[in-house]
Amino acid sequence: QVKLVESGGGLVQPGGSLRLSCAASGFTLDNYHIGWFRQAPGKEREGVSCDSRSGIKTNYLNSVKGRFTISRDNAKSMMYLQMTDLKPEDTAVYYCTAHRSPYPGICALISERYEYWGQGTQVTVSS
């Protein structure tokens, strides 16, 4: 059974940091692109970052570039999103995702391409 389970969300002050983790099971993570998406109340879901299964290419939402870092540990079937200098506009439910693409080199922040999703973890940035 395929499963993605996020952890690490919470309440943090502006300028603070959080590390989201996602445990994958039921499939081999190194065959998949991975991604993180988020959805704030009243807003559409948006792609935050993705990492190609080749490990060559990562993509980031412009507003998080330089602040967020995506990574993976295929041996542990884990993916991570390190978030620093958090801002109130980063407040959202964050989802980890996985996509088995025939193209190893490039991932895209298009939610419809990702077939596996976690249940989400809340991140709230507030003073």
Side-chain angles (χ1 to χ4, degrees), residues 38-97:
R38 69 185 182 187
Q39 188 164 21
K43 294 188 177 181
E44 291 190 358
R45 186 168 52 193
E46 62 181 356
V48 175
S49 181
C50 65
D51 177 51
S52 65
R53 63 183 175 92
S54 67
I56 294 175
K57 180 69 175 178
T58 57
N59 282 324
Y60 291 93
L61 182 68
N62 282 340
S63 62
V64 308
K65 284 181 180 177
R67 300 189 297 120
F68 290 12
T69 303
I70 190 171
S71 62
R72 65 165 84 202
D73 185 335
N74 288 332
K76 295 182 179 179
S77 292
M78 295 290 296
M79 63 179 86
Y80 306 97
L81 185 69
Q82 179 68 49
M83 305 185 293
T84 63
D85 189 23
L86 282 160
K87 305 177 187 299
E89 52 264 39
D90 295 319
T91 295
V93 177
Y94 283 72
Y95 300 89
C96 62
T97 64

Side-chain angles (χ1 to χ4, degrees), residues 29 31-37 47-61 70-72 79 97-115:
L29 191 61
N31 291 334
Y32 287 73
H33 294 336
I34 60 171
W36 289 91
F37 288 75
V48 175
S49 181
C50 65
D51 177 51
S52 65
R53 63 183 175 92
S54 67
I56 294 175
K57 180 69 175 178
T58 57
N59 282 324
Y60 291 93
L61 182 68
I70 190 171
S71 62
R72 65 165 84 202
M79 63 179 86
T97 64
H99 165 51
R100 184 157 190 170
S101 171
Y103 308 106
I106 300 175
C107 62
L109 293 173
I110 301 172
S111 60
E112 291 77 11
R113 293 188 180 180
Y114 291 80
E115 53 266 42

